[in-house]
Amino acid sequence: QQQVKQSPQSLIVQKGGISIINCAYENTAFDYFPWYQQFPGKGPALLIAIRPDVSEKKEGRFTISFNKSAKQFSLHIMDSQPGDSATYFCAARAGGNYQLIWGAGTKLIIKP
Amino acid sequence: DAGITQSPRHKVTETGTPVTLRCHQTENHRYMYWYRQDPGHGLRLIHYSYGVKDTDKGEVSDGYSVSRSKTEDFLLTLESATSSQTSVYFCAISESVGVGNTIYFGEGSWLTVV
């Protein structure tokens, strides 16, 4: 119930294409869903986040789509660039101690 | 970049020896965290602190202890290191745990237990 399942584990996309990473959860008490981006040798950094009362949030080329009834949310990267190559983590804020539950990560490679 | 410094950044140690990782922040954030990152597991919370001398366990706390004697410092100790504790350890900080709160991560400490 406290898990966040992320897929795919790895993804290769051509430059200019759309990258899509998916996450699913079970706990309907989760109330905040951030995505973090991590470059090799660095710590993760917040990329974009959404609350469950919103179905979509867009920031530049990055969009979160949120489907509350399906308990799924996804990250879309439009016009993917080589500089987007990184590992992406989805997460969900849990009740109780309000800590984030993390997905396993997706390694994204954008081919020039 | 958030003012988070982890030390050491890289360490190789032998099984059974104690190891302490240090995290120092200059942001005066209330919350501090220790995570470990392993392939296929993402980020897993080891321990966190919500104030000086106030700490709580995360999902993978066995074999680890922490201490926070000052707002700016959070120490992670492996009392007797095992090979399963070979990992990348990240310290993180946040002002709160409210909705919309951002967690800021350090650059990681690579620990190898041989």
Side-chain angles (χ1 to χ4, degrees):
Chain A
Q1 270 240 329
Q2 288 290 87
Q3 285 187 332
V4 176
K5 295 183 179 180
Q6 184 172 346
S7 62
Q9 191 173 9
S10 62
L11 181 63
I12 300 174
V13 175
Q14 290 294 129
K15 178 183 175 182
I18 302 173
S19 304
I20 302 174
I21 304 170
N22 301 298
C23 285
Y25 64 97
E26 290 294 325
N27 190 340
T28 56
F30 288 163
D31 60 3
Y32 175 65
F33 301 87
W35 285 88
Y36 279 71
Q37 179 188 55
Q38 183 183 29
F39 293 107
K42 300 292 186 181
L46 179 65
L47 180 64
I48 186 172
I50 197 167
R51 302 184 188 192
D53 54 344
V54 176
S55 61
E56 185 176 282
K57 183 173 182 181
K58 184 176 181 179
E59 290 184 1
R61 296 184 294 108
F62 300 90
T63 299
I64 300 178
S65 297
F66 189 85
N67 186 328
K68 191 172 183 177
S69 61
K71 290 182 282 188
Q72 295 176 348
F73 58 109
S74 59
L75 176 69
H76 293 65
I77 306 174
M78 311 300 288
D79 187 27
S80 298
Q81 299 298 311
D84 297 330
S85 296
T87 298
Y88 293 81
F89 293 96
C90 63
R93 179 180 177 265
N97 62 10
Y98 303 114
Q99 296 306 314
L100 291 179
I101 307 298
W102 297 81
T106 296
K107 185 174 183 178
L108 173 65
I109 298 173
I110 308 299
K111 285 199 164 184
Chain B
D1 289 344
I4 304 169
T5 304
Q6 291 186 230
S7 60
R9 294 290 314 281
H10 296 87
K11 185 174 181 67
V12 179
T13 192
E14 292 187 349
T15 298
T17 60
V19 176
T20 295
L21 305 180
R22 179 176 182 254
C23 179
H24 178 79
Q25 62 145 328
T26 58
E27 306 297 324
N28 200 35
H29 282 3
R30 178 183 175 187
Y31 289 81
M32 298 187 75
Y33 312 83
W34 278 107
Y35 286 91
R36 61 179 289 174
Q37 183 176 10
D38 305 286
H41 291 278
L43 292 156
R44 293 182 291 175
L45 183 64
I46 304 171
H47 283 279
Y48 69 100
S49 170
Y50 47 96
V52 173
K53 298 186 179 178
D54 292 323
T55 65
D56 205 350
K57 295 179 180 179
E59 63 179 299
V60 290
S61 59
D62 288 348
Y64 302 95
S65 62
V66 291
S67 66
R68 191 170 179 197
S69 59
K70 296 186 290 185
T71 298
E72 57 266 36
D73 292 327
F74 193 33
L75 303 181
L76 176 70
T77 298
L78 290 65
E79 301 290 346
S80 178
T82 67
S83 58
S84 65
Q85 294 176 312
T86 292
S87 187
V88 183
Y89 291 86
F90 285 98
C91 174
I93 64 174
S94 68
E95 285 187 279
S96 75
V97 289
V99 173
N101 168 63
T102 298
I103 294 179
Y104 300 94
F105 286 83
E107 296 206 324
S109 293
W110 274 253
L111 178 66
T112 302
V113 183
V114 298

